[in-house]
Amino acid sequence: LNSENKTKAESYPERRIISSNKNKHYLKEFLKIAAVFLVTALGTWYYFSEPKISDAMQTISVPAGQRLNLILPDGTNIWLNAKTTIKYPITFNNDKRLIYLDGQAYFDVAKNPEVPFIVNTKEGRVQALGTRFDVLAYSEDNKFETMLMEGSVRIDLDNNPKQSMLLKPNEKAILKNGELFVESTVDTTSYEWRNGILSFKNKSIAKITRVFEKVFDVRIIIEDPIVRDQRLTGKFRTVDGVDYAMKILQYEKSFNIKEIIDTEDNNKRIMRISTR
């Protein structure tokens, strides 16, 4: 080869190297763009395909001394007791009807076998298809009870997934020390609170006055342990007020009531019970 041809031949590899580097650069840029497109496409697919509860949630809180009746979007009828909070989506999705409860509520669930109705509480969940039941789950009391009047419900605990339970009518599930126990009962008078009736059967004065505090929005302090443990069976109408209810207790169990007003707590009435 002459020198001219040799020079050209020697320059070809350099050109091939430059061309190869350019191709690698274009390939990297293409892969970056493709990766961004793929991530965007997958994110869009996940957003539209992933089942989820509507972001629009309705929250209703019932203050002490009141109760409330409402109808959910699916037609379920609910009564909420005093100091109860409930959260539910404005529109239920197609696979479940999930609500959140802190307090006490009575449910008359609209039947829809294909879309289960689930009550989520601090302790666990109560699932029903079409039924009537009462759930007591005040987080401040660390208490959980479910009473079934009609149909069937399934109960699952958050802290003990292995323990689940199916209730039949006139059965009540009670959570004690992290375990569920079932009691059979035909006396449902204690669940007439939604009708404005407070019914107690062999309950201690301490438990009765605890209910009075929620229903009548007062604070009741029992200073004498003897009074705290005394038991009573009876009924009270909420429309009669706390003064009448306390007079009945006072007549039955013979104790004194001293009342003061807490000016630092919205002038809340405080009733002190003692035998002196």
Side-chain angles (χ1 to χ4, degrees):
L1 295 172
N2 57 31
S3 59
E4 182 181 357
N5 290 336
K6 185 177 180 180
T7 302
K8 290 181 179 179
E10 290 175 349
S11 66
Y12 288 160
E14 182 180 356
R15 290 177 181 177
R16 284 196 296 268
I17 291 172
I18 294 174
S19 176
S20 176
N21 289 337
K22 288 182 178 180
N23 290 339
K24 288 182 180 179
H25 173 73
Y26 292 145
L27 179 59
K28 289 181 179 179
E29 292 300 320
F30 174 79
L31 290 177
K32 288 181 181 179
I33 296 173
V36 172
F37 175 80
L38 180 61
V39 171
T40 303
L42 288 175
T44 303
W45 173 84
Y46 179 83
Y47 178 84
F48 286 106
S49 64
E50 177 70 8
K52 54 186 176 297
I53 300 177
S54 170
D55 292 334
M57 297 291 289
Q58 179 76 28
T59 300
I60 295 178
S61 296
V62 182
Q66 299 183 31
R67 63 186 190 278
L68 177 68
N69 179 229
L70 64 92
I71 306 295
L72 295 185
D74 66 331
T76 294
N77 191 349
I78 300 182
W79 276 95
L80 304 178
N81 207 349
K83 297 185 70 175
T84 294
T85 297
I86 188 174
K87 296 181 181 180
Y88 61 91
I90 295 177
T91 303
F92 289 115
N93 60 30
N94 294 325
D95 62 340
K96 61 184 175 182
R97 296 171 285 172
L98 179 62
I99 71 168
Y100 300 87
L101 172 70
D102 185 349
Q104 184 175 20
Y106 175 88
F107 299 89
D108 189 349
V109 179
K111 294 183 179 180
N112 188 345
E114 297 180 356
V115 185
F117 187 91
I118 302 172
V119 181
N120 202 4
T121 73
K122 178 184 176 182
E123 301 295 341
R125 297 167 304 284
V126 181
Q127 178 174 329
L129 294 177
T131 185
R132 294 188 299 115
F133 60 99
D134 186 288
V135 178
L136 177 64
Y138 285 99
S139 58
E140 63 180 13
D141 295 338
N142 293 321
K143 192 174 184 180
F144 177 80
E145 294 182 2
T146 299
M147 175 66 191
L148 179 64
M149 285 75 171
E150 180 182 294
S152 63
V153 297
R154 174 179 173 175
I155 302 174
D156 297 284
L157 297 180
D158 290 337
N159 295 332
N160 192 351
K162 295 182 179 180
Q163 188 177 29
S164 62
M165 180 176 295
L166 291 175
L167 290 185
K168 297 182 294 185
N170 296 326
E171 285 186 342
K172 177 170 66 174
I174 303 174
L175 183 63
K176 296 179 180 179
N177 300 321
E179 295 187 19
L180 285 173
F181 296 88
V182 178
E183 295 181 358
S184 297
T185 177
V186 294
D187 183 12
T188 59
T189 55
S190 60
Y191 301 97
E192 293 182 3
W193 57 265
R194 65 187 188 279
N195 298 320
I197 298 176
L198 306 178
S199 181
F200 304 98
K201 185 176 182 180
N202 195 32
K203 295 293 183 181
S204 67
I205 299 296
K207 290 184 177 180
I208 292 175
T209 54
R210 180 66 173 161
V211 174
F212 285 175
E213 287 183 323
K214 289 185 174 70
V215 173
F216 298 115
D217 192 20
V218 297
R219 186 181 176 193
I220 302 175
I221 301 174
I222 303 177
E223 298 178 338
D224 195 328
I226 298 178
V227 177
R228 184 180 296 111
D229 296 331
Q230 293 185 51
R231 295 181 174 271
L232 180 71
T233 297
K235 291 184 179 182
F236 304 87
R237 297 189 307 171
T238 57
V239 295
D240 292 332
V242 66
D243 293 313
Y244 177 80
M246 292 299 292
K247 286 181 179 179
I248 297 298
L249 293 184
Q250 188 178 24
Y251 175 79
E252 292 288 337
K253 299 303 179 182
S254 298
F255 54 76
N256 298 321
I257 301 175
K258 182 180 180 180
E259 183 175 333
I260 61 176
I261 301 297
D262 189 351
T263 56
E264 296 183 357
D265 188 10
N266 296 321
N267 293 325
K268 176 172 285 189
R269 298 175 64 186
I270 299 178
M271 296 181 170
R272 296 183 177 273
I273 296 177
S274 67
T275 54
R276 299 179 182 177

